[in-house]
Amino acid sequence: MEKEMRVRFAPSPTGPFHIGGARSALFNWLLAKRMGGKFVLRIEDTDRKRSTPESEENIKAALKWLGITWDEGADVGGPYGPYHQMERLDIYKKYTDQLLKEGKAYYCYCTPEELEEERQALLKDCKMPRYMGKCRHLTEEQKAQYEKEGRKPSIRLKVPENETIVVHDMVRGDVEFDSNGIGDFVIVKSDGIPTYNYAVVIDDYLMHITHVIRAEEHLSNTPRQLLVYEALGFEKPVFAHISLILGTDHTKMSKRHGATSVDAYRQQGYLPEGIDNFLALLGWAPQGEEEIFSMEEACKVFSMDRVAKNPAVFDIKKLNWINSQHIRKLTPDAFFELAKPFMVKAGYMTGDETGEKLDWLKRVVATAQTQVDYGAQVPEKVALYFTDDFDFENEEAVSVLKEETVPLVMKALIEGFHSLDELNHDSVKGVFKAVQKGNKLKGQQVYMPFRVALTGNQHGPELAEMIPLLGADRVEKRIMKSLEKAHVSL
Ligand code: GLU
């Protein structure tokens, strides 16, 4: 029987949850869903100075928001826990004792100053800086002497010399590393806490992880991890390192290219389905041309053989377009809910509205659904419904109002709207048509000046949509004010 696929996402809770981390989590999740496997969430909290509970909470909340759920791990438990590395120190210790006993690891008493000295000396000789094994063969007396001096040892793994270490990578093929460039590296720090490259191996092994899928940044760590697998005699998982994320200028993605944390996008009113869709395309491509899909659709077709080797480019324009497509798919109520916090922040509503006022707000907000890429853009798109003060966009707009036929058109339209029992899309259109036909005018001569007088702009939302929302009185007020400003008398 085929072994069940087990993947993991193993964030370090040391700061904001980045888009890159979310992409790694998503690829693992999609693969697990596709293969009917398990997705494990392990918290790598061994960096005591930088790890915080807030960051962990933030990561978990962001994963949930994105719909990336875990079958085992932090909070939910599972058969191979605990799932926080700081709760696994006893487990690591057992293996460390074994490595020490077998002579595969040793105590190192070098101080940070001594290590730095060695580093500088190697650099000066144009050699790769690495630990040269000073403490590899200490006698019991030397050790005792160091202990007496109060030095606290770290523990290093013995790295074989002159060996080629090959990472078999699902995405990148075989990648070779020279063991001489590595040097005996620390597996347990002097405070007794294991290093990432050590703990990750023990955890992945004990948690029965079959596929380690992570960002390319970790590729250079993998040979070290392979050495730990060898030393402990563990069976190795399959590795896949997914490409770097670059900005549109092809330098490493950073704040200059747009927000890098998932939270920032959430706060701007992006949709999880938009972010997921965009992240899935950062390094993976489904067969065919379709670029808009849901998580359910993606996990039916996701496969590692369509994951690209070359860097993925984070293009905010593309994200915006993808998100706008998902926004268009929302029900009007869901879109209203997305827009609400931004409308409240803009002072356009309190959030406690009911009855007619609420209905009106919903209709107003609905006009923005096809115009925005994300929620925070809604207020600017509906601002015209909340204030009757506006300026003409430019001189050209003013000149539109100077046409000879303008007074006649304005008067006829205002009267027409006042005479209607109900202002709606069709009845308003009817008035425009009647005024145009009745005076033998071109559409341009009717719609354009009215639009400018009503909004100050030559372009904007459909008039037949706006006018019913403003009502005949407000329409008249706005028109009269504009004409006065442009020195046009009726
Ligand atoms: N804690 C590591 C990180 O957040 C995990 C890397 C890995 O997936 O092995 O980068």
Side-chain angles (χ1 to χ4, degrees):
M1 203 181 80
E2 274 263 328
K3 232 183 2 182
E4 179 188 51
M5 173 177 277
R6 290 175 58 85
V7 295
R8 84 313 190 262
F9 179 55
S12 305
T14 51
F17 185 40
H18 282 192
I19 283 290
R23 196 240 343 218
S24 298
L26 181 65
F27 278 29
N28 277 287
W29 187 88
L30 287 170
L31 190 66
K33 292 288 148 195
R34 168 92 169 101
M35 305 303 290
K38 291 274 187 310
F39 177 85
V40 180
L41 176 70
R42 178 174 71 233
I43 304 295
E44 303 206 328
D45 53 356
T46 53
D47 184 340
R48 297 319 294 148
K49 277 205 202 90
R50 293 170 60 228
S51 298
T52 64
E54 295 76 43
S55 168
E56 179 181 332
E57 288 314 313
N58 178 271
I59 293 169
K60 290 186 293 199
L63 287 172
K64 284 183 198 159
W65 181 69
L66 291 169
I68 301 174
T69 47
W70 50 103
D71 305 296
E72 282 171 30
D75 296 352
V76 304
Y80 309 111
Y83 292 92
H84 285 77
Q85 288 190 324
M86 283 309 284
E87 290 168 23
R88 301 173 61 80
L89 297 184
D90 288 351
I91 300 174
Y92 308 128
K93 186 166 183 317
K94 196 184 103 202
Y95 289 102
T96 313
D97 290 345
Q98 178 193 320
L99 289 175
L100 286 166
K101 211 166 104 211
E102 292 171 356
K104 293 177 178 169
Y106 61 89
Y107 288 106
C108 167
Y109 293 88
C110 294
T111 63
E113 295 75 30
E114 285 164 353
L115 294 172
E116 184 54 28
E117 231 171 81
E118 177 178 81
R119 220 179 90 83
Q120 292 304 333
L122 285 169
L123 281 174
K124 220 167 123 200
D125 284 355
C126 295
K127 290 200 181 115
M128 185 93 119
R130 66 196 157 111
Y131 186 68
M132 300 299 285
K134 189 169 157 213
C135 294
R136 236 193 210 219
H137 306 290
L138 292 182
T139 61
E140 287 312 312
E141 290 74 43
Q142 284 169 314
K143 281 189 206 167
Q145 177 59 31
Y146 281 141
E147 299 273 347
K148 231 171 82 193
E149 287 172 20
R151 295 191 186 207
K152 284 245 174 300
S154 60
I155 299 169
R156 290 182 185 268
L157 188 78
K158 276 188 191 162
V159 173
E161 274 172 45
N162 306 324
E163 263 188 29
T164 302
I165 304 163
V166 185
V167 177
H168 302 291
D169 190 285
M170 260 178 119
V171 177
R172 332 204 79 78
D174 284 357
V175 187
E176 294 186 356
F177 293 86
D178 179 359
S179 74
N180 291 350
I182 296 177
D184 297 348
F185 58 93
V186 174
I187 55 173
V188 181
K189 290 178 286 179
S190 57
D191 58 6
I193 295 180
T195 57
Y196 157 66
N197 278 320
Y198 181 54
V200 74
V201 170
I202 295 174
D203 291 345
D204 284 340
Y205 173 74
L206 292 179
M207 293 178 188
H208 299 266
I209 300 303
T210 57
H211 293 70
V212 169
I213 302 163
R214 61 188 168 204
E216 194 184 329
E217 283 93 331
H218 284 294
L219 182 60
S220 60
N221 284 319
T222 310
R224 286 177 178 76
Q225 293 173 22
L226 289 176
L227 290 166
V228 177
Y229 278 101
E230 288 289 334
L232 291 169
F234 289 165
E235 195 192 329
K236 298 172 190 109
V238 174
F239 289 97
H241 290 89
I242 50 184
S243 59
L244 290 176
I245 302 178
L246 304 181
T248 40
D249 59 358
H250 286 249
T251 61
K252 195 166 183 270
M253 168 78 180
S254 75
K255 285 234 169 81
R256 284 183 297 119
H257 302 106
T260 53
S261 76
V262 175
D263 241 9
Y265 290 97
R266 182 183 182 169
Q267 282 167 19
Q268 284 291 95
Y270 282 80
L271 293 172
E273 45 274 46
I275 301 279
D276 282 327
N277 189 160
F278 175 69
L279 290 178
L281 292 173
L282 278 184
W284 173 73
Q287 238 156 350
E289 297 290 304
E290 188 51 56
E291 290 199 295
I292 301 298
F293 46 78
S294 65
M295 291 267 269
E296 291 70 44
E297 287 162 342
C299 67
K300 281 193 199 124
V301 294
F302 187 84
S303 69
M304 287 306 289
D305 55 13
R306 296 194 62 85
V307 171
K309 210 159 142 182
N310 22 354
V313 174
F314 185 99
D315 182 355
I316 187 87
K317 285 204 202 105
K318 176 137 188 201
L319 167 60
N320 286 347
W321 175 73
I322 290 175
N323 203 63
S324 76
Q325 299 306 303
H326 285 278
I327 283 196
R328 281 158 177 69
K329 290 185 186 190
L330 294 177
T331 62
D333 278 340
F335 181 65
F336 184 68
E337 286 310 312
L338 178 75
K340 209 164 157 182
F342 304 101
M343 292 291 288
V344 170
K345 203 165 153 227
Y348 293 159
M349 59 185 285
T350 61
D352 298 325
E353 287 83 355
T354 52
E356 269 182 34
K357 183 80 214 236
L358 180 62
D359 289 342
W360 182 79
L361 283 166
K362 284 190 175 177
R363 285 168 59 209
V364 165
V365 166
T367 64
Q369 188 163 355
T370 53
Q371 298 183 60
V372 296
D373 295 333
Y374 49 91
Q377 290 176 330
V378 174
E380 67 184 77
K381 297 290 180 200
V382 299
L384 67 109
Y385 296 104
F386 295 89
T387 169
D388 293 329
D389 284 329
F390 55 85
D391 291 322
F392 295 116
E393 61 174 341
N394 50 32
E395 278 308 309
E396 197 189 320
V398 183
S399 69
V400 168
L401 297 179
K402 305 281 190 186
E403 295 288 322
E404 207 187 321
T405 48
V406 165
L408 167 99
V409 167
M410 296 293 160
K411 230 196 262 168
L413 287 172
I414 292 172
E415 270 168 26
F417 297 140
H418 275 301
S419 72
L420 292 174
D421 288 338
E422 196 201 315
L423 256 70
N424 57 41
H425 189 273
D426 291 347
S427 65
V428 165
K429 272 219 133 121
V431 170
F432 274 110
K433 278 254 137 59
V435 171
Q436 186 193 331
K437 287 229 164 89
N439 296 287
K440 298 202 173 39
L441 296 169
K442 285 192 212 118
Q444 272 290 88
Q445 293 174 289
V446 179
Y447 289 99
M448 192 51 103
F450 202 79
R451 174 183 294 287
V452 168
L454 192 64
T455 66
N457 288 301
Q458 296 176 80
H459 304 281
E462 211 196 334
L463 287 169
E465 182 180 63
M466 274 168 62
I467 292 167
L469 286 168
L470 287 167
D473 289 342
R474 268 181 85 190
V475 167
E476 179 176 358
K477 217 170 95 193
R478 291 165 76 119
I479 299 287
M480 297 312 283
K481 208 163 140 192
S482 289
L483 293 179
E484 199 184 308
K485 267 202 295 189
H487 309 294
V488 176
S489 42
L490 283 195

